[in-house]
Amino acid sequence: MPSVRFKKILIANRGEIAVRIICACRELGIETVAVYSEADRYSSHVRFADQAICIGPAKSARSYLDIASIISAAEITNVDAIHPGYGFLSENAGFAEVCEASHLHFIGPKPAVIRLMGVKERARAFMREMGVPVLPGSPGVLSTAEEALELAEKIGYPVILKASAGGGGRGMRVVTQAEDLPGLYAQAQTEAGAAFASADVYLEKYIGAPRHIEFQILADEHGNVEILGERECSIQRRHQKLLEESPSPAVTDGLRAEISGVLRKAIAAAGYTNAGTVEFLMDETGKLYFIEVNARVQVEHPVTEFVTGIDIVKSQIRIAQGERLPDILPGPVELRGHSIECRINAENPETFVPSPGRITGFHVPGGIGVRVDTWVYTDCVIPPFYDSLVAKLIVHGCDRAEAIDRMRRALGMFIVEGIHTSIPLQQKILADEDFRAGRFDTNFIKRFMPGKG
Ligand code: ADP
């Protein structure tokens, strides 16, 4: 039995994830409150929620990131809980604390755990102590360039300097030789300080051609932890993922079982609850190394939902109600078939320049094994203020080859008129021989489109 039952949830987000959370709430019989900026007045999350409140102008800092406005909206509408989605306030420990202080359930991990995972070199030290493989690197934050030089000498070049509070690939510098280190160290500190209000930087071994592989976790408030397999997210441009799949073509059953085993213990020891993702890099020899934890639901969660049959967003809500994982999950976690997600962005497929504007024609594909998560419709306007994600097209097949064929036919039946989208680029990726053979790393896009990676 849940310790509480939510009657109403406020969704502190916009776009497709806000609609996704509304879907989960409707199936659970929970009412929803949408918040929106003036630019999103006609967005479908506003239409599908039971109530909607305008929380400010288009600029995120004055709407979707404005904690006082969001808490006021929650109090006026008398909700029980807040779902933060991804991005915006989802990994803001201070926001989770304000929710708790206002007697609102925050649908995510506890503030102290969000804070631990947000300080990347602390999360790294914690995972290493728990027996999770991490890359050789500094034990904590670097205090001087001399210390960095000494460590880099020991580890061997190339190394990477990373911002302790980093995110979105900012504050990182790759160092290939000692003489460049002092200058790049200063640059990384300055960039980190400007972007994250903390100039703390740490160092680790740099992998030249890694695969990005991440494990999905669910943990309840009673100590139960489940690992829902992994996602392969190596098809990315400038650290922005374009196409994701599950399972990874590079992860064997043995490796999955080994990593799942150590992760289960580490996540329980951290007191981590709700959904989360543990990101790893795979080196050229096939070994996985922890890089960071994302303490929230991910954009690419649907590929895991397709192969496991588990609704991750409903699980998040039920965990926050105090329910136990054995009561939430349909049975033991098993991976069935293969799933791929393509992000359909409003951008030029060749130059990647954003392409906001009015959608004049919109048709989504359907049929067996096809899912579309979107917030747009014919005649809606994509505002220029937020991310460019228009829709996610996700397919499921009995194996990887069928999933690729299904994705190609579904992309061919996806019509978006009036703006540019990434659909032609996704078709090129799916037709590529190396991609089809599962032979790729995070440099794939660079090799594929020289000068644009
Ligand atoms: P952020 O939080 O800014 O996204 P991450 O630690 O997740 O930072 O790293 C983002 C990306 O940077 C990774 O997906 C990978 O492509 C690259 N990267 C990070 N650390 C390393 C490393 N040690 N070696 C090679 N590439 C790395």
Side-chain angles (χ1 to χ4, degrees), residues 120 162 167-169 204-207 212 239 279 281 292:
K120 292 168 68 166
K162 297 170 77 170
E204 68 187 19
K205 177 85 191 151
Y206 179 74
I207 303 177
H212 175 118
H239 309 310
E279 295 190 335
L281 292 181
E292 68 166 343

Side-chain angles (χ1 to χ4, degrees), residues 177-309:
Q177 48 179 2
E179 63 190 50
D180 300 340
L181 197 143
L184 292 170
Y185 177 63
Q187 275 180 28
Q189 279 187 318
T190 308
E191 192 174 311
F196 312 112
S198 155
D200 287 350
V201 168
Y202 66 103
L203 174 151
E204 68 187 19
K205 177 85 191 151
Y206 179 74
I207 303 177
R211 294 178 84 119
H212 175 118
I213 291 169
E214 57 185 36
F215 284 71
Q216 174 69 52
I217 55 182
L218 283 179
D220 68 17
E221 292 168 357
H222 311 277
N224 300 300
V225 179
E226 284 293 346
I227 314 293
L228 276 56
E230 78 286 352
R231 293 184 286 260
E232 164 80 61
C233 309
S234 302
I235 308 297
Q236 39 178 270
R237 175 184 175 264
R238 298 204 180 141
H239 309 310
Q240 298 298 316
K241 297 163 189 165
L242 288 168
L243 179 153
E244 305 94 346
E245 54 186 306
S246 183
S248 162
V251 172
T252 59
D253 290 347
L255 182 58
R256 181 179 306 114
E258 180 194 322
I259 296 292
S260 298
V262 284
L263 276 186
R264 199 171 281 123
K265 276 194 233 127
I267 290 299
Y272 191 101
T273 51
N274 217 279
T277 295
V278 187
E279 295 190 335
F280 289 83
L281 292 181
M282 180 181 266
D283 71 6
E284 295 82 346
T285 70
K287 276 197 72 172
L288 285 173
Y289 298 95
F290 167 83
I291 49 168
E292 68 166 343
V293 174
N294 289 140
R296 55 172 164 82
V297 69
Q298 300 269 105
V299 176
E300 57 273 22
H301 75 277
V303 292
T304 301
E305 295 188 322
F306 251 148
V307 294
T308 60

